[in-house]
Amino acid sequence: MKLTSCLRLMLMLLCVANISFSRVWADESFLVAQPQEHKDVIIADFEADNYGYWQITGTAFGMAPAQGTLSGQKTVSGFEGSGLVNSYNGGDTATGKMTSPVFKIDRPCINFLIGGGGHAEQTCMNLLVDGVVVRTATGRNTGSGGSERLEWMSWDVKYLIGKDAIIEIVDQHTGGWGHISVDSISQSFSARQTYFDKQMTVSVNKKYLNIPVNNGISKRLCRVFVDQKIVREFTVGLAGSEPDFWVYLDISEFTGKDAIVQIDCYTPENAAGFDAIFQDDNYPGAENTYKEVLRPQIHFSSKRGWINDTNGMVYYDGEYHMFYQ
């Protein structure tokens, strides 16, 4: 039998067996087939000029997907295509909610891009089954600084396969970072995540924990635990191979104890910076502190890093005062 006849016979058998393929391609030499059931199922990509069957309340989300950065907002990045959900319509004081049509969960993972505020239950995306929130996610930002970049996140929903569900995107926060951004929601057989958490244990025997910093890099939340309690918490743009400068954290009060240093949203771009954190009784560049060419000589300035908008000295009621933003 000729090879072409064999291929035709194989295709006929596949059709009889009712096996669905998204692509079947054949010539005289080979056959390539990709099962339809293994492809991702898009829940929403927000590429249309409206929200379709999603129900919208409030004003924060507008009446159609945003085309990127909105007025008065830091530059939004990391989304796919041209459209995304962005509840900064009207600024951080605006509120609202989006609710998806009902869909059936038939993949073990739900992947999505998310950014914006990190306020639990207030700037979030929720998965509801039988009216109950079974999964939730927020952006990464709560304090000053931060980044409007959307990052991949994934929900494990394998135990919910076969259930009917809805997704709601919520903005009920009216303060700083009172908005949420979402894009590219899909069901999949594999998880997509931009980041993962990482930690190191430090036996404290020096005065400082030295941390390399780059200006302009996305900031990550860093925590220091001692005796299972958070003793330091801050955001930092961890440097790669060549930091712009080093900052130090005084940990001398914990001498003799183990400290766990943890970074949230660890990515390849800050991997080298995290691994470069070290203990010492001094900090890099200490010998030049307050001797720098561009260091202000009259106004107060911090020894390392910066303090926003220092004002003073101001004389009032018999004392000199210094104020900070």
Side-chain angles (χ1 to χ4, degrees):
M1 183 182 297
K2 293 183 179 180
L3 181 58
T4 303
S5 300
C6 290
L7 292 173
R8 289 174 179 167
L9 179 59
M10 290 170 62
L11 291 173
M12 290 175 63
L13 291 173
L14 289 171
C15 292
V16 171
N18 197 28
I19 298 176
S20 174
F21 284 81
S22 62
R23 181 180 62 175
V24 177
W25 183 90
D27 66 6
E28 294 286 330
S29 57
F30 59 95
L31 174 75
V32 177
Q34 180 180 349
Q36 178 72 35
E37 62 268 22
H38 288 173
K39 292 178 70 69
D40 288 358
V41 176
I42 296 173
I43 296 173
D45 59 11
F46 305 108
E47 291 301 301
D49 57 4
N50 57 58
Y51 286 122
Y53 292 104
W54 286 67
Q55 295 180 4
I56 314 297
T57 61
T59 61
F61 297 98
M63 298 309 296
Q67 300 298 299
T69 307
L70 296 176
S71 177
Q73 187 177 25
K74 292 182 179 180
T75 301
V76 177
S77 62
F79 59 97
E80 297 189 332
S82 60
L84 76 155
V85 169
N86 183 349
S87 73
Y88 198 75
N89 183 59
D92 278 334
T93 58
T95 60
K97 185 169 72 171
M98 293 179 55
T99 305
S100 77
V102 176
F103 64 94
K104 189 174 293 293
I105 299 173
D106 60 6
R107 300 284 192 276
C109 301
I110 294 179
N111 298 324
F112 50 92
L113 285 160
I114 191 166
H119 308 286
E121 300 182 0
Q122 293 185 310
T123 54
C124 59
M125 186 170 86
N126 300 322
L127 179 70
L128 286 81
V129 173
D130 296 329
V132 177
V133 175
V134 294
R135 300 289 186 273
T136 189
T138 70
R140 313 300 293 186
N141 305 284
T142 55
S144 60
S147 169
E148 290 282 10
R149 181 174 179 81
L150 280 71
E151 296 174 321
W152 284 107
M153 192 173 290
S154 183
W155 286 327
D156 182 346
V157 292
K158 59 179 173 290
Y159 297 114
L160 298 172
I161 288 178
K163 298 282 190 179
D164 288 337
I166 62 170
I167 286 173
E168 62 178 18
I169 305 174
V170 179
D171 178 356
Q172 292 297 321
H173 191 83
T174 57
W177 286 107
H179 62 277
I180 188 77
S181 301
V182 174
D183 194 20
S184 299
I185 310 171
S186 65
Q187 299 195 63
S188 179
F189 282 95
S190 58
R192 291 190 68 175
Q193 297 214 196
T194 302
Y195 61 87
F196 54 95
D197 297 339
K198 188 174 182 179
Q199 65 183 35
M200 66 171 73
T201 300
V202 176
S203 297
V204 181
N205 55 24
K206 303 288 184 180
K207 184 176 182 179
Y208 297 124
L209 198 64
N210 289 302
I211 304 168
V213 175
N214 266 352
N215 290 317
I217 197 170
S218 296
K219 293 182 180 179
R220 304 303 184 194
L221 179 64
C222 188
R223 296 186 179 97
V224 179
F225 295 82
V226 175
D227 296 330
Q228 299 182 333
K229 295 180 180 178
I230 298 175
V231 296
R232 300 286 189 273
E233 185 176 60
F234 53 93
T235 57
V236 60
L238 280 176
S241 57
E242 296 184 11
D244 292 328
F245 58 91
W246 289 80
V247 297
Y248 62 84
L249 194 65
D250 189 339
I251 54 174
S252 57
E253 66 183 282
F254 309 115
T255 299
K257 294 187 175 184
D258 284 345
I260 296 175
V261 183
Q262 182 185 81
I263 184 173
D264 192 24
C265 217
Y266 175 87
T267 68
E269 71 175 346
N270 53 49
F274 185 79
D275 293 339
I277 295 173
F278 70 98
Q279 285 190 86
D280 204 339
D281 285 324
N282 217 326
Y283 54 88
E287 66 279 5
N288 295 318
T289 302
Y290 290 111
K291 300 176 185 177
E292 300 91 342
V293 174
L294 298 179
R295 170 79 69 171
Q297 298 300 304
I298 298 175
H299 294 285
F300 173 81
S301 57
S302 60
K303 189 179 292 185
R304 270 290 182 269
W306 61 87
I307 299 173
N308 280 0
D309 197 14
T310 309
N311 293 275
M313 305 290 286
V314 177
Y315 186 80
Y316 174 73
D317 198 20
E319 292 183 309
Y320 283 96
H321 301 265
M322 189 176 293
F323 297 91
Y324 306 93
Q325 183 181 25

